[in-house]
Amino acid sequence: MYTRSLGLGAVLLSVLSSAQNMLDKPPLTDDLVYLHQGLIDNLPINTYTMDQWIEGWIPQDCKSMTEDAGLNTADIQTYNVHFNDCNDDWIICWHTGSAITLQNFVDTFARLPVSTRGYVRHIISLPDNDSALGTGGYNSEGNIAMMGNIAVDNPAAFIHESGHSLDHLNGYMPDQELSNSQNWLDNYNQDTNVPNNYAQTNQQENVAENTIVDTFNLVVPGGFGMVQPNWGAIFHQYATIDTKQREGGNLLVPGGTCSHRLENSEAIQLGGSSRIKARLLREKPNVELSKDVRVIPRKKFHTRDLCTLSKRQFGAGKH
């Protein structure tokens, strides 16, 4: 997961309850803070407009994630976000007690390339002070939850969590998860290091951290080698991400328009009298996708279930 403490953000160092999947290669650096400003400077905010859902409706997945955090769904506001690079809206959820403003939350998500965004179903911002989950972020079946101030001006947090979607939902490989493939293991074995401490957690987190590295390498002039003289120590890992994202249609490259999307979760009514519910039923939000996009099949995975959280300064949280 991701947590924030000081500076641009903070990594939420997630450690598997069982240490058997910990990787034995040393980290190249403690964290990836040194990549954050380059990502901010070279991932522009894609233009968007928003409109709010009528009170009394919430996406099913936002409802479930809010309740999982022990929070009240009545405090959730839901918005359609209309990006200029896609005819289909993204539906986002924001808790009124969030540490991040609604605009900053959406602005940070809007920095993701549209092909990366296509592997995100909903994003939800939740406060960490009352949350049972603490400060951090996680990915549940393509839904990205950010707790506390983890996502403030921190596109790396969204890139990391999107990396889980690209891995688990077969964006990187059409027939299996990249992190569980022999191809990934063979390239991992050619390197001497992993990107940072957090990447040592397991291969799923290593893929997600290398997704940040490769995104930096793709969008920042001069690439990763400009800021990391020992780039060769992890080259085969982030180069594998680069090959797979390119084979998938330049999934980490800005520009273009949307071609694929995760299906939105169903719009669910919250409580109220039968009279109110009858009125709301006539105003049910439309969550259907257009025929302009390929629908990515839903697949069960929850990165939150794999780890426990501990705060550690990092500069940009992570799962």
Side-chain angles (χ1 to χ4, degrees):
M1 276 190 198
Y2 253 79
T3 74
R4 171 184 294 270
S5 55
L6 300 174
L8 287 174
V11 64
L12 147 162
L13 179 60
S14 304
V15 180
L16 283 175
S17 55
S18 170
Q20 63 182 1
N21 292 324
M22 288 287 292
L23 308 183
D24 57 4
K25 292 185 187 297
L28 184 59
T29 58
D30 287 343
D31 54 57
L32 297 182
V33 176
Y34 66 109
L35 304 184
H36 295 166
Q37 193 60 48
L39 291 170
I40 292 172
D41 293 343
N42 293 278
L43 285 173
I45 297 172
N46 291 281
T47 304
Y48 67 87
T49 59
M50 292 192 304
D51 60 79
Q52 187 173 353
W53 279 22
I54 186 171
E55 187 176 352
W57 290 99
I58 187 173
Q60 174 64 70
D61 289 356
C62 287
K63 180 177 183 291
S64 298
M65 297 172 88
T66 302
E67 292 172 344
D68 284 348
L71 299 169
N72 190 342
T73 55
D75 295 323
I76 296 293
Q77 295 177 355
T78 303
Y79 295 84
N80 295 318
V81 182
H82 324 280
F83 288 100
N84 67 346
D85 52 16
C86 190
N87 290 330
D88 289 280
D89 303 336
W90 271 263
I91 301 172
I92 70 101
C93 301
W94 180 78
H95 192 285
T96 56
S98 293
I100 185 173
T101 66
L102 174 63
Q103 181 174 345
N104 193 283
F105 185 55
V106 181
D107 279 356
T108 305
F109 178 63
R111 292 183 184 275
L112 295 187
V114 64
S115 292
T116 308
R117 249 184 290 132
Y119 277 83
V120 179
R121 191 184 319 279
H122 305 304
I123 60 171
I124 182 170
S125 173
L126 299 170
D128 62 351
N129 55 327
D130 295 321
S131 170
L133 302 177
T135 300
Y138 72 92
N139 189 321
S140 175
E141 300 182 17
N143 298 297
I144 295 176
M146 297 291 183
M147 285 79 71
N149 62 355
I150 193 83
V152 174
D153 298 324
N154 184 17
F158 277 113
I159 295 168
H160 175 98
E161 297 302 340
S162 298
H164 286 306
S165 285
L166 292 166
D167 183 20
H168 289 279
L169 297 174
N170 305 117
Y172 286 144
M173 296 186 74
D175 53 352
Q176 69 177 122
E177 297 171 354
L178 175 62
S179 58
N180 288 329
S181 70
Q182 191 62 47
N183 178 283
W184 176 257
L185 186 60
D186 289 345
N187 281 282
Y188 165 79
N189 285 333
Q190 293 184 67
D191 289 338
T192 58
N193 295 74
V194 293
N196 60 343
N197 292 339
Y198 189 64
Q200 290 182 303
T201 306
N202 55 40
Q203 290 294 7
Q204 289 75 32
E205 300 303 331
N206 191 24
V207 163
E209 289 297 87
N210 273 286
T211 296
I212 298 174
V213 173
D214 190 51
T215 300
F216 182 98
N217 190 60
L218 286 165
V219 305
V220 177
F224 183 55
M226 180 188 71
V227 297
Q228 178 48 259
N230 296 321
W231 57 270
I234 63 169
F235 170 75
H236 293 91
Q237 293 164 84
Y238 74 83
T240 300
I241 297 290
D242 192 53
T243 297
K244 295 305 179 182
Q245 71 84 25
R246 190 167 59 250
E247 291 174 352
N250 290 319
L251 297 170
L252 303 177
V253 179
T257 57
C258 61
S259 61
H260 52 267
R261 287 291 303 275
L262 294 175
E263 192 171 30
N264 294 313
S265 64
E266 182 183 359
I268 299 296
Q269 281 191 24
L270 296 177
S273 68
S274 58
R275 184 177 179 180
I276 292 175
K277 287 183 177 180
R279 177 179 60 80
L280 287 175
L281 193 58
R282 296 192 297 270
E283 301 170 334
K284 183 176 182 178
N286 180 15
V287 299
E288 296 297 320
L289 296 175
S290 72
K291 297 188 182 301
D292 297 336
V293 293
R294 170 179 62 87
V295 176
I296 301 167
R298 188 161 188 139
K299 180 181 176 183
K300 288 188 177 296
F301 76 93
H302 305 275
T303 62
R304 175 176 58 85
D305 295 340
L306 296 176
C307 50
T308 56
L309 305 182
S310 66
K311 288 191 175 183
R312 177 169 180 171
Q313 182 177 348
F314 187 68
K318 79 183 106 230
H319 150 128

